[in-house]
Amino acid sequence: MKVTVKILRYNPEKDKRPRYHTYHVEAEPTDRVLDVLEKIKGYQDGSLSFRRSCAHGICGSDAMRINGMNRLACKTLIKDLHTDKIVIEPLLGLPLIKDLIVDMKPFFENYQRVMPYLVNNEPAPLRERLQSPEERERYDDTTKCILCAACTTSCPSFWSNGQYVGPAAIVNAHRFIFDSRDRAAGERLRILSDQFGVYRCHTIFNCTLACPREIQITKAIGEVKRAIATGSLD
Amino acid sequence: MNIHQYDVVIVGAGGAGLMAALQASKTAVTAVISKLYPTRSHTGTAQGGVGAALGNLEEDHPEWHTYDTVKGSDYLGDQDAIEFMCNEAVPAVYELEHMGLPFSRTPDGRIAQRPFGGHTNNVTGKPVRRSCYAADRTGHMILQTLYQQCIKNNVNFFDEFQVLDLLVVNGVAQGVVAIELATSEIHVFHANAVVFATGGFGRIWKITSNAYSNTGDGVAIALRRGIPLEDMEFFQFHPTGIYKLGILITEGVRGEGGILVNDKGERFMEHYAPRVKDLASRDVVSRAMYLEIREGRGINGKDYLYLDVRPETVNKYAALDGRTFPDGRPYQVSGEELLAKLPDIIDFCRTYLGVDPIEQPMPVQPTAHYAMGGIPTNIYGQVLMDEKNNILPGFYAAGEAACVSVHGANRLGTNSLLDLLVFGKHAGLHAAQYARDTQFQTLPKDAADFARQQLDRLQNCDKGTEKLSDITEEMKVTMMDHVGVFRTEEGMNMALNKIRELKQRYWNLKLDDCGKVFNTDLLNAWEIGNLLDLAEVTAASALARKESRGAHAREDFPKRDDKNWLKHTLAWLKDGEIRLRYKPVVITKYQPKERVY
């Protein structure tokens, strides 16, 4: 099938502001949007710039706006868009560098603010620390995060103030807060209860819709809010 | 030009690089340079688990793991290194758990383990549960956990910096040259120790499980700097890639009881590996699949087969095999249990194929997956310069970029994650100690020139005529057809000529992007140059080896020949020509014998 691809392009060395360019590409309905981008780069304009690596939804490189939704280009098939007209734009809320590439530094800085690592200073046993399957299940959903930023850059609260840690950071805090082996839940909850923490979330659910890993993000944020409110992790 | 000085510079931020960084940064001033944000690295796509004889579900021993790995390597692995790795496996997995890795758990709260190809109970010969897993996301969890620990320990990262060259001064490694993607500025990292953990190069082949970024940058740089590459003819084709896409379907699917079937509905692995059947080594299974397809028994006569993990199929064959749970009950699974154990696989199939593996079989074909060969090292990650194992002081390699050699002619599943943990750690430790005890050499003024010349030569090509995408495609198809699962002298000669032609055409490229900000056009071109060099070395090493062993299967020399070929290949690039020499395999406890599964 023939698809029409409109891409918002920007070269800081040449352009004053981003402009749309339209490309016509022959594609299979089962092609990924990433395949279409590769075809344009390979055969029409090698200067088209975007990030990509694993091409099957695990590395998190190629989050972008596709027909208005934040998605991974490698996890979106043409047929699933139900149209032969595709509009591709960079993520919102992060500084634009070039074409579909945005500056990820602010995103990773927010992530680092929530202590995204296990804290447990008790002497480790010779073998593994025990954790029941139920305890492991408690935080399973939030271990799936690939830090693609699709959620955070779909969040109107983040758009309005980039100091908001954003859904991805809260997801990664949740992953440790509810891990039975961790001992720093209190500190993380303190960080997330400040003015740039969880209360900037107004349960809009954009993040949940955007997540390519189908993490129940709004629910996870709700659980963190409840833990702050009740002082309990149960 | 920007000049930085560190004790240790680590290139690559996948599992091996991050593990090295964690260790080195404890005692030495360390920087990590990576062309990707660390969590984008290909380690994250590993699925089925990391091998360690914890014995959480049944009797197991590091000695059994050692023997299985030696046998899996078709006796080409160095047995001292294999024994070291398998002994270190147990503490390495516990260390990861203590760092917070969310392993799946047994009912009594221990790390869960599943069977994997080639891992056996050495007494009964039956599959053993040795692969420590986190659903089918083990690599993702390892990568995330190691990155988290690096943040906790304030490791210095230079994200989105592409390494271009290794600096060697007075016969010792003294750092690297890199380009900052966002600006095209050249940076020199002056360091007393350099660790290459740059991963593999599976993008040489058409059907591949490898990421776009797996272009063997570090391996190609080492080659250009006069370091030989070891055993490059041994490249693993994983049996179960998603048809046409190559996306990996973990061997864990077969570990959980899935089976391969042909067009007649036969479980054909019974004929090729009567004892362990679908859980034979990857080279054995991939060859069986090619033979089935060649005999016309591919699905609908095409070049793929089915991987069937529907609960009714699993339960039927588990009963036929007499498979049991550890407590002796007959093995039975439900769709829900499979979904819990293999969630990502099921998601991939639903997304890319519109197939639900709980209800339909998955179309699969062998996919280029893992480089057994690479930069030769010892167990401390020190890079070896020749067949006498002389080292290049200050230069280290670990992970898929390196060849220790623990995988020999064929790697067992779960041993890649193990390799990067164990040797990443030891490379980091050794590099830090060495760097602290060493004085910096003065860098020459032209340190960045060789790197810059390579880019300038490509960027001047806006007058050229060749398209990068054409050259890439021709390389991938040629290598898939002629230097893939089965090989012949004629085919490999053809491939070698083709690669040499492509290398000529490569210097006549026409690039579209002449800018400095994220010039992915230029950097992709440089990466393809690496793949072309490595494709040539692979084909030349394979052409010379006149036997079949592990992943190197020659139709014109179908037998293993220990008398003439029980030796490692070393390949140098000198004045544009490939020179081959050989070195002996280290054999300690296990004399080579015929390999049957």
Side-chain angles (χ1 to χ4, degrees), chain A residues 13 41-42 46 51 53 56 59 74-75 77 98 116 118 125 127-129 131 136 143 145-147 175 181 213, chain B residues 40 56 94 97-98 100-102 105 109 111 140 148 152 160 212-213 344 347 351-352 469 512-513 516-517 520:
Chain A
E13 295 170 90
K41 187 176 179 65
R51 295 188 179 102
S53 187
H56 64 288
C59 78
C74 63
K75 228 187 159 183
L77 305 191
K98 181 186 185 185
L118 189 90
R127 298 183 59 179
E128 67 268 61
R129 289 192 172 102
Q131 183 168 59
R136 168 66 178 76
T143 63
C145 176
I146 55 174
L147 298 168
R175 179 250 170 276
R181 300 168 296 172
R213 304 287 287 154
Chain B
R40 314 295 184 221
N56 280 356
Y94 290 141
E97 198 284 328
H98 297 157
L101 195 132
R105 298 288 170 155
I111 294 169
H140 166 75
Q148 291 155 3
K152 188 178 182 182
E160 301 195 316
Y212 278 100
S213 358
D344 278 0
D347 181 42
T351 302
Y352 297 109
S469 37
D512 295 331
D513 196 335
K516 294 206 172 300
V517 179
T520 53

Short mmCIF file of all heavy atoms in Angstrom, two decimals, chain A residues 13 41-42 46 51 53 56 59 74-75 77 98 116 118 125 127-129 131 136 143 145-147 175 181 213, chain B residues 40 56 94 97-98 100-102 105 109 111 140 148 152 160 212-213 344 347 351-352 469 512-513 516-517 520:
data_model
loop_
_atom_site.label_atom_id
_atom_site.label_comp_id
_atom_site.label_asym_id
_atom_site.label_seq_id
_atom_site.Cartn_x
_atom_site.Cartn_y
_atom_site.Cartn_z
N GLU A 13 20.67 23.85 12.38
CA GLU A 13 21.72 24.53 11.63
C GLU A 13 21.17 25.27 10.41
O GLU A 13 21.88 26.03 9.78
CB GLU A 13 22.80 23.52 11.19
CG GLU A 13 23.52 22.91 12.39
CD GLU A 13 24.41 21.74 12.00
OE1 GLU A 13 25.59 21.99 11.69
OE2 GLU A 13 23.93 20.59 12.01
N LYS A 41 14.64 7.37 5.31
CA LYS A 41 16.05 7.72 5.54
C LYS A 41 16.96 7.03 4.53
O LYS A 41 17.90 7.62 4.02
CB LYS A 41 16.46 7.32 6.97
CG LYS A 41 17.86 7.81 7.35
CD LYS A 41 18.16 7.48 8.80
CE LYS A 41 19.56 7.92 9.19
NZ LYS A 41 19.76 9.37 9.15
N GLY A 42 16.64 5.78 4.22
CA GLY A 42 17.51 5.00 3.35
C GLY A 42 17.41 5.38 1.89
O GLY A 42 18.39 5.31 1.16
N GLY A 46 18.57 10.91 3.60
CA GLY A 46 19.43 10.37 4.66
C GLY A 46 19.61 11.31 5.84
O GLY A 46 20.14 10.90 6.87
N ARG A 51 16.09 8.47 16.77
CA ARG A 51 16.81 7.44 17.51
C ARG A 51 16.09 6.12 17.33
O ARG A 51 14.87 6.07 17.28
CB ARG A 51 16.84 7.77 19.00
CG ARG A 51 17.60 9.01 19.40
CD ARG A 51 17.68 9.07 20.91
NE ARG A 51 18.41 10.23 21.40
CZ ARG A 51 17.85 11.32 21.89
NH1 ARG A 51 16.54 11.41 21.94
NH2 ARG A 51 18.59 12.31 22.34
N SER A 53 16.95 1.58 18.21
CA SER A 53 17.95 0.54 18.40
C SER A 53 17.34 -0.85 18.25
O SER A 53 17.46 -1.46 17.20
CB SER A 53 18.69 0.68 19.72
OG SER A 53 19.74 -0.25 19.75
N HIS A 56 12.08 -3.63 18.60
CA HIS A 56 10.91 -4.42 19.01
C HIS A 56 10.39 -4.07 20.41
O HIS A 56 9.89 -4.94 21.13
CB HIS A 56 11.15 -5.92 18.83
CG HIS A 56 12.24 -6.52 19.69
ND1 HIS A 56 13.58 -6.28 19.49
CD2 HIS A 56 12.19 -7.34 20.76
CE1 HIS A 56 14.29 -6.95 20.38
NE2 HIS A 56 13.47 -7.59 21.18
N CYS A 59 14.05 -1.38 23.99
CA CYS A 59 15.11 -0.44 24.37
C CYS A 59 14.58 0.96 24.68
O CYS A 59 15.22 1.71 25.39
CB CYS A 59 16.20 -0.38 23.31
SG CYS A 59 15.77 0.61 21.87
N CYS A 74 8.62 1.46 16.66
CA CYS A 74 8.88 0.05 16.35
C CYS A 74 7.77 -0.87 16.85
O CYS A 74 7.77 -2.05 16.58
CB CYS A 74 10.20 -0.39 16.97
SG CYS A 74 10.18 -0.31 18.76
N LYS A 75 6.84 -0.33 17.62
CA LYS A 75 5.78 -1.18 18.16
C LYS A 75 4.42 -0.78 17.59
O LYS A 75 3.38 -1.21 18.09
CB LYS A 75 5.78 -1.09 19.68
CG LYS A 75 5.73 -2.47 20.33
CD LYS A 75 5.56 -2.42 21.82
CE LYS A 75 4.99 -3.76 22.29
NZ LYS A 75 4.73 -3.78 23.72
N LEU A 77 2.26 -0.81 14.15
CA LEU A 77 2.16 -1.27 12.77
C LEU A 77 1.26 -0.31 11.99
O LEU A 77 0.33 0.27 12.54
CB LEU A 77 1.59 -2.68 12.70
CG LEU A 77 2.30 -3.77 13.51
CD1 LEU A 77 1.77 -5.15 13.10
CD2 LEU A 77 3.81 -3.73 13.32
N LYS A 98 16.74 17.98 17.03
CA LYS A 98 16.73 17.89 15.57
C LYS A 98 15.67 16.86 15.14
O LYS A 98 15.63 15.75 15.71
CB LYS A 98 18.10 17.43 15.09
CG LYS A 98 18.25 17.32 13.57
CD LYS A 98 19.61 16.72 13.24
CE LYS A 98 19.86 16.68 11.75
NZ LYS A 98 21.12 15.99 11.46
N PRO A 116 16.17 5.82 42.34
CA PRO A 116 15.70 4.65 41.61
C PRO A 116 16.66 3.46 41.73
O PRO A 116 17.21 2.98 40.73
CB PRO A 116 15.64 5.15 40.15
CG PRO A 116 16.75 6.16 40.08
CD PRO A 116 16.83 6.79 41.44
N LEU A 118 17.76 0.00 44.69
CA LEU A 118 17.45 -0.68 45.95
C LEU A 118 18.34 -0.15 47.06
O LEU A 118 19.54 -0.02 46.89
CB LEU A 118 17.67 -2.19 45.80
CG LEU A 118 17.16 -3.00 47.00
CD1 LEU A 118 15.70 -3.40 46.76
CD2 LEU A 118 18.00 -4.25 47.24
N PRO A 125 22.55 -11.95 53.08
CA PRO A 125 22.79 -13.36 53.38
C PRO A 125 23.78 -13.96 52.39
O PRO A 125 24.09 -13.34 51.37
CB PRO A 125 21.41 -13.99 53.23
CG PRO A 125 20.67 -13.08 52.31
CD PRO A 125 21.21 -11.70 52.54
N ARG A 127 23.20 -16.49 50.54
CA ARG A 127 22.46 -16.78 49.32
C ARG A 127 21.53 -15.61 49.01
O ARG A 127 21.81 -14.49 49.40
CB ARG A 127 21.68 -18.09 49.51
CG ARG A 127 22.61 -19.27 49.77
CD ARG A 127 21.84 -20.56 49.88
NE ARG A 127 21.07 -20.83 48.67
CZ ARG A 127 20.32 -21.91 48.51
NH1 ARG A 127 20.23 -22.82 49.47
NH2 ARG A 127 19.63 -22.10 47.40
N GLU A 128 20.41 -15.86 48.28
CA GLU A 128 19.51 -14.77 47.95
C GLU A 128 18.70 -14.32 49.16
O GLU A 128 18.49 -15.10 50.08
CB GLU A 128 18.57 -15.17 46.80
CG GLU A 128 17.54 -16.26 47.10
CD GLU A 128 18.06 -17.65 46.74
OE1 GLU A 128 19.08 -18.07 47.35
OE2 GLU A 128 17.44 -18.32 45.90
N ARG A 129 18.26 -13.05 49.13
CA ARG A 129 17.23 -12.62 50.08
C ARG A 129 15.93 -13.29 49.65
O ARG A 129 15.61 -13.30 48.46
CB ARG A 129 17.05 -11.11 50.02
CG ARG A 129 18.21 -10.33 50.60
CD ARG A 129 17.83 -8.85 50.77
NE ARG A 129 18.86 -8.14 51.48
CZ ARG A 129 19.77 -7.35 50.90
NH1 ARG A 129 19.76 -7.16 49.59
NH2 ARG A 129 20.69 -6.75 51.62
N GLN A 131 12.02 -13.78 48.94
CA GLN A 131 10.87 -12.93 48.60
C GLN A 131 9.80 -13.85 48.06
O GLN A 131 10.05 -14.62 47.12
CB GLN A 131 11.28 -11.90 47.54
CG GLN A 131 10.18 -10.93 47.17
CD GLN A 131 10.69 -9.76 46.33
OE1 GLN A 131 11.23 -9.95 45.25
NE2 GLN A 131 10.49 -8.54 46.84
N ARG A 136 6.76 -10.52 45.31
CA ARG A 136 7.35 -10.18 44.01
C ARG A 136 6.30 -9.61 43.07
O ARG A 136 6.56 -8.66 42.32
CB ARG A 136 8.00 -11.44 43.41
CG ARG A 136 8.41 -11.36 41.97
CD ARG A 136 9.53 -10.37 41.73
NE ARG A 136 9.94 -10.33 40.33
CZ ARG A 136 9.25 -9.73 39.37
NH1 ARG A 136 8.13 -9.10 39.64
NH2 ARG A 136 9.68 -9.75 38.11
N THR A 143 8.16 -2.89 37.21
CA THR A 143 9.51 -3.30 36.79
C THR A 143 9.63 -3.28 35.26
O THR A 143 10.73 -3.42 34.73
CB THR A 143 9.88 -4.73 37.25
OG1 THR A 143 8.99 -5.66 36.63
CG2 THR A 143 9.82 -4.88 38.76
N CYS A 145 9.13 -0.91 33.16
CA CYS A 145 9.42 0.39 32.55
C CYS A 145 10.74 0.36 31.76
O CYS A 145 11.75 -0.12 32.24
CB CYS A 145 9.49 1.48 33.61
SG CYS A 145 9.94 3.09 32.93
N ILE A 146 10.68 0.92 30.53
CA ILE A 146 11.87 0.97 29.68
C ILE A 146 12.40 2.41 29.52
O ILE A 146 13.25 2.66 28.68
CB ILE A 146 11.60 0.35 28.30
CG1 ILE A 146 10.40 1.01 27.64
CG2 ILE A 146 11.39 -1.17 28.43
CD1 ILE A 146 10.14 0.56 26.21
N LEU A 147 11.88 3.33 30.31
CA LEU A 147 12.36 4.72 30.31
C LEU A 147 12.33 5.36 28.92
O LEU A 147 13.23 6.10 28.54
CB LEU A 147 13.79 4.77 30.89
CG LEU A 147 13.90 4.30 32.34
CD1 LEU A 147 15.37 4.11 32.73
CD2 LEU A 147 13.24 5.29 33.28
N ARG A 175 8.36 1.07 41.93
CA ARG A 175 9.02 -0.22 41.80
C ARG A 175 9.84 -0.58 43.05
O ARG A 175 9.96 -1.75 43.40
CB ARG A 175 9.90 -0.22 40.54
CG ARG A 175 10.68 -1.52 40.28
CD ARG A 175 12.15 -1.27 40.52
NE ARG A 175 12.93 -2.49 40.53
CZ ARG A 175 13.09 -3.28 41.60
NH1 ARG A 175 12.47 -3.01 42.73
NH2 ARG A 175 13.84 -4.36 41.54
N ARG A 181 12.18 -6.01 49.78
CA ARG A 181 13.60 -6.02 50.18
C ARG A 181 14.13 -4.62 50.42
O ARG A 181 15.24 -4.45 50.93
CB ARG A 181 14.43 -6.69 49.08
CG ARG A 181 14.03 -8.12 48.79
CD ARG A 181 14.68 -8.62 47.50
NE ARG A 181 14.22 -7.85 46.33
CZ ARG A 181 14.72 -7.97 45.12
NH1 ARG A 181 15.73 -8.81 44.90
NH2 ARG A 181 14.24 -7.25 44.12
N ARG A 213 4.40 -0.42 27.32
CA ARG A 213 4.53 -1.64 28.12
C ARG A 213 3.25 -1.94 28.87
O ARG A 213 3.22 -2.85 29.71
CB ARG A 213 5.69 -1.51 29.11
CG ARG A 213 7.03 -1.19 28.44
CD ARG A 213 7.61 -2.35 27.69
NE ARG A 213 8.14 -3.35 28.59
CZ ARG A 213 8.25 -4.64 28.29
NH1 ARG A 213 7.85 -5.07 27.11
NH2 ARG A 213 8.75 -5.48 29.16
N ARG B 40 19.32 1.69 26.80
CA ARG B 40 18.94 1.29 25.43
C ARG B 40 19.77 0.11 24.94
O ARG B 40 19.57 -0.37 23.83
CB ARG B 40 19.14 2.45 24.45
CG ARG B 40 18.64 3.81 24.89
CD ARG B 40 17.14 3.86 25.02
NE ARG B 40 16.65 5.19 25.34
CZ ARG B 40 15.68 5.45 26.21
NH1 ARG B 40 15.09 4.46 26.86
NH2 ARG B 40 15.28 6.67 26.42
N ASN B 56 18.30 -24.58 43.13
CA ASN B 56 17.12 -24.20 43.90
C ASN B 56 15.95 -25.16 43.72
O ASN B 56 15.07 -25.23 44.57
CB ASN B 56 16.66 -22.79 43.53
CG ASN B 56 17.50 -21.73 44.21
OD1 ASN B 56 18.38 -22.05 45.02
ND2 ASN B 56 17.25 -20.48 43.91
N TYR B 94 23.80 -14.28 43.02
CA TYR B 94 23.42 -13.76 44.34
C TYR B 94 23.72 -12.27 44.46
O TYR B 94 22.97 -11.51 45.06
CB TYR B 94 24.13 -14.53 45.45
CG TYR B 94 23.63 -15.96 45.61
CD1 TYR B 94 24.51 -17.00 45.89
CD2 TYR B 94 22.27 -16.24 45.48
CE1 TYR B 94 24.05 -18.30 46.03
CE2 TYR B 94 21.80 -17.54 45.61
CZ TYR B 94 22.69 -18.58 45.89
OH TYR B 94 22.23 -19.85 46.03
N GLU B 97 21.04 -10.35 42.86
CA GLU B 97 19.84 -10.37 43.69
C GLU B 97 20.00 -9.36 44.82
O GLU B 97 19.07 -8.60 45.12
CB GLU B 97 19.61 -11.79 44.22
CG GLU B 97 18.18 -12.02 44.74
CD GLU B 97 17.92 -11.41 46.10
OE1 GLU B 97 18.86 -11.33 46.93
OE2 GLU B 97 16.78 -10.98 46.35
N HIS B 98 21.17 -9.30 45.41
CA HIS B 98 21.39 -8.34 46.49
C HIS B 98 21.33 -6.90 45.99
O HIS B 98 21.00 -5.99 46.74
CB HIS B 98 22.74 -8.60 47.17
CG HIS B 98 22.81 -9.94 47.85
ND1 HIS B 98 23.99 -10.60 48.12
CD2 HIS B 98 21.83 -10.78 48.27
CE1 HIS B 98 23.73 -11.76 48.70
NE2 HIS B 98 22.43 -11.89 48.79
N GLY B 100 19.17 -5.98 44.00
CA GLY B 100 17.75 -5.68 43.84
C GLY B 100 17.10 -6.29 42.62
O GLY B 100 15.94 -6.01 42.32
N LEU B 101 17.81 -7.12 41.88
CA LEU B 101 17.21 -7.66 40.67
C LEU B 101 15.95 -8.45 41.00
O LEU B 101 15.97 -9.33 41.86
CB LEU B 101 18.20 -8.55 39.91
CG LEU B 101 17.70 -8.82 38.48
CD1 LEU B 101 18.80 -8.58 37.47
CD2 LEU B 101 17.12 -10.19 38.32
N PRO B 102 14.82 -8.12 40.35
CA PRO B 102 13.55 -8.78 40.67
C PRO B 102 13.40 -10.13 39.96
O PRO B 102 12.61 -10.26 39.02
CB PRO B 102 12.50 -7.77 40.19
CG PRO B 102 13.18 -6.96 39.14
CD PRO B 102 14.65 -7.00 39.41
N ARG B 105 10.27 -15.99 41.46
CA ARG B 105 10.55 -16.72 42.69
C ARG B 105 9.88 -18.08 42.72
O ARG B 105 8.81 -18.28 42.12
CB ARG B 105 10.04 -15.90 43.90
CG ARG B 105 10.73 -14.56 44.06
CD ARG B 105 12.16 -14.71 44.55
NE ARG B 105 12.90 -13.44 44.48
CZ ARG B 105 13.95 -13.17 45.25
NH1 ARG B 105 14.40 -14.05 46.12
NH2 ARG B 105 14.58 -12.02 45.11
N GLY B 109 10.27 -18.76 47.98
CA GLY B 109 10.91 -17.45 47.98
C GLY B 109 12.31 -17.40 47.39
O GLY B 109 12.97 -16.37 47.44
N ILE B 111 15.22 -17.85 44.16
CA ILE B 111 15.27 -17.47 42.75
C ILE B 111 14.74 -18.63 41.90
O ILE B 111 15.18 -19.77 42.07
CB ILE B 111 16.72 -17.12 42.35
CG1 ILE B 111 17.18 -15.86 43.08
CG2 ILE B 111 16.84 -16.96 40.84
CD1 ILE B 111 18.68 -15.58 42.96
N HIS B 140 16.46 -7.30 30.52
CA HIS B 140 15.91 -5.98 30.90
C HIS B 140 16.18 -5.72 32.38
O HIS B 140 16.64 -4.64 32.76
CB HIS B 140 14.41 -5.97 30.61
CG HIS B 140 13.66 -4.82 31.24
ND1 HIS B 140 13.72 -3.53 30.75
CD2 HIS B 140 12.85 -4.78 32.32
CE1 HIS B 140 12.97 -2.75 31.52
NE2 HIS B 140 12.43 -3.48 32.48
N GLN B 148 20.78 1.20 37.69
CA GLN B 148 20.35 1.78 38.97
C GLN B 148 21.52 1.84 39.95
O GLN B 148 21.74 2.85 40.63
CB GLN B 148 19.23 0.90 39.58
CG GLN B 148 17.92 0.95 38.80
CD GLN B 148 17.06 -0.30 39.01
OE1 GLN B 148 17.41 -1.19 39.78
NE2 GLN B 148 15.93 -0.36 38.32
N LYS B 152 23.32 5.00 41.81
CA LYS B 152 23.53 5.02 43.26
C LYS B 152 24.99 5.33 43.59
O LYS B 152 25.29 6.02 44.55
CB LYS B 152 23.13 3.66 43.83
CG LYS B 152 23.11 3.57 45.33
CD LYS B 152 22.64 2.19 45.75
CE LYS B 152 22.56 2.07 47.27
NZ LYS B 152 22.14 0.71 47.67
N GLU B 160 25.51 9.04 24.64
CA GLU B 160 25.46 9.46 23.24
C GLU B 160 26.79 10.05 22.78
O GLU B 160 26.86 11.08 22.14
CB GLU B 160 24.26 10.37 22.99
CG GLU B 160 22.95 9.65 23.36
CD GLU B 160 21.68 10.30 22.85
OE1 GLU B 160 21.58 11.52 22.94
OE2 GLU B 160 20.80 9.56 22.35
N TYR B 212 19.73 -2.39 15.78
CA TYR B 212 20.43 -1.58 14.80
C TYR B 212 21.82 -1.19 15.29
O TYR B 212 22.75 -1.06 14.51
CB TYR B 212 19.65 -0.29 14.52
CG TYR B 212 18.53 -0.45 13.53
CD1 TYR B 212 17.20 -0.58 13.95
CD2 TYR B 212 18.78 -0.47 12.17
CE1 TYR B 212 16.16 -0.72 13.04
CE2 TYR B 212 17.75 -0.61 11.24
CZ TYR B 212 16.45 -0.73 11.68
OH TYR B 212 15.43 -0.88 10.77
N SER B 213 21.95 -1.00 16.60
CA SER B 213 23.24 -0.51 17.12
C SER B 213 24.31 -1.59 17.23
O SER B 213 25.45 -1.27 17.55
CB SER B 213 23.07 0.13 18.48
OG SER B 213 21.76 0.13 18.86
N ASP B 344 6.30 -11.22 27.60
CA ASP B 344 6.78 -10.39 26.49
C ASP B 344 6.71 -11.12 25.16
O ASP B 344 6.38 -10.53 24.13
CB ASP B 344 8.21 -9.91 26.76
CG ASP B 344 8.22 -8.69 27.66
OD1 ASP B 344 7.12 -8.23 28.06
OD2 ASP B 344 9.32 -8.20 27.98
N ASP B 347 3.32 -10.93 23.99
CA ASP B 347 3.08 -9.57 23.50
C ASP B 347 3.71 -9.36 22.11
O ASP B 347 3.07 -8.81 21.21
CB ASP B 347 3.66 -8.58 24.52
CG ASP B 347 3.44 -7.13 24.09
OD1 ASP B 347 2.34 -6.82 23.62
OD2 ASP B 347 4.37 -6.32 24.24
N THR B 351 1.61 -8.43 18.82
CA THR B 351 1.87 -7.14 18.15
C THR B 351 2.31 -7.33 16.71
O THR B 351 1.76 -6.72 15.80
CB THR B 351 2.99 -6.37 18.90
OG1 THR B 351 2.58 -6.19 20.25
CG2 THR B 351 3.25 -5.01 18.26
N TYR B 352 3.32 -8.20 16.51
CA TYR B 352 3.96 -8.23 15.18
C TYR B 352 3.35 -9.26 14.24
O TYR B 352 3.50 -9.16 13.03
CB TYR B 352 5.47 -8.47 15.33
CG TYR B 352 6.14 -7.35 16.09
CD1 TYR B 352 6.62 -7.52 17.36
CD2 TYR B 352 6.24 -6.07 15.53
CE1 TYR B 352 7.21 -6.49 18.07
CE2 TYR B 352 6.82 -5.02 16.22
CZ TYR B 352 7.30 -5.24 17.50
OH TYR B 352 7.86 -4.20 18.18
N SER B 469 22.18 2.45 2.01
CA SER B 469 21.18 1.40 2.21
C SER B 469 21.37 0.24 1.23
O SER B 469 21.12 -0.91 1.57
CB SER B 469 19.77 1.97 2.13
OG SER B 469 19.69 2.98 1.15
N ASP B 512 23.64 12.38 2.66
CA ASP B 512 22.75 13.54 2.50
C ASP B 512 22.94 14.59 3.58
O ASP B 512 22.54 15.72 3.42
CB ASP B 512 21.27 13.08 2.55
CG ASP B 512 20.93 12.19 1.37
OD1 ASP B 512 21.55 12.34 0.31
OD2 ASP B 512 20.04 11.32 1.52
N ASP B 513 23.50 14.18 4.71
CA ASP B 513 23.57 15.08 5.85
C ASP B 513 25.01 15.60 6.00
O ASP B 513 25.94 14.81 6.18
CB ASP B 513 23.13 14.34 7.12
CG ASP B 513 22.81 15.27 8.27
OD1 ASP B 513 23.34 16.40 8.28
OD2 ASP B 513 22.04 14.88 9.15
N LYS B 516 26.31 19.08 11.70
CA LYS B 516 27.05 18.66 12.87
C LYS B 516 26.15 18.14 13.99
O LYS B 516 26.61 17.45 14.90
CB LYS B 516 27.86 19.86 13.42
CG LYS B 516 28.95 20.32 12.47
CD LYS B 516 30.08 20.99 13.22
CE LYS B 516 31.27 21.29 12.33
NZ LYS B 516 31.84 20.07 11.74
N VAL B 517 24.88 18.49 13.95
CA VAL B 517 23.98 18.08 15.04
C VAL B 517 23.38 16.71 14.72
O VAL B 517 22.72 16.54 13.70
CB VAL B 517 22.85 19.13 15.22
CG1 VAL B 517 21.92 18.69 16.35
CG2 VAL B 517 23.44 20.50 15.52
N THR B 520 23.24 11.38 12.06
CA THR B 520 23.10 9.92 12.09
C THR B 520 23.43 9.32 10.72
O THR B 520 23.76 8.14 10.64
CB THR B 520 21.68 9.51 12.52
OG1 THR B 520 20.74 10.20 11.69
CG2 THR B 520 21.42 9.88 13.97
#
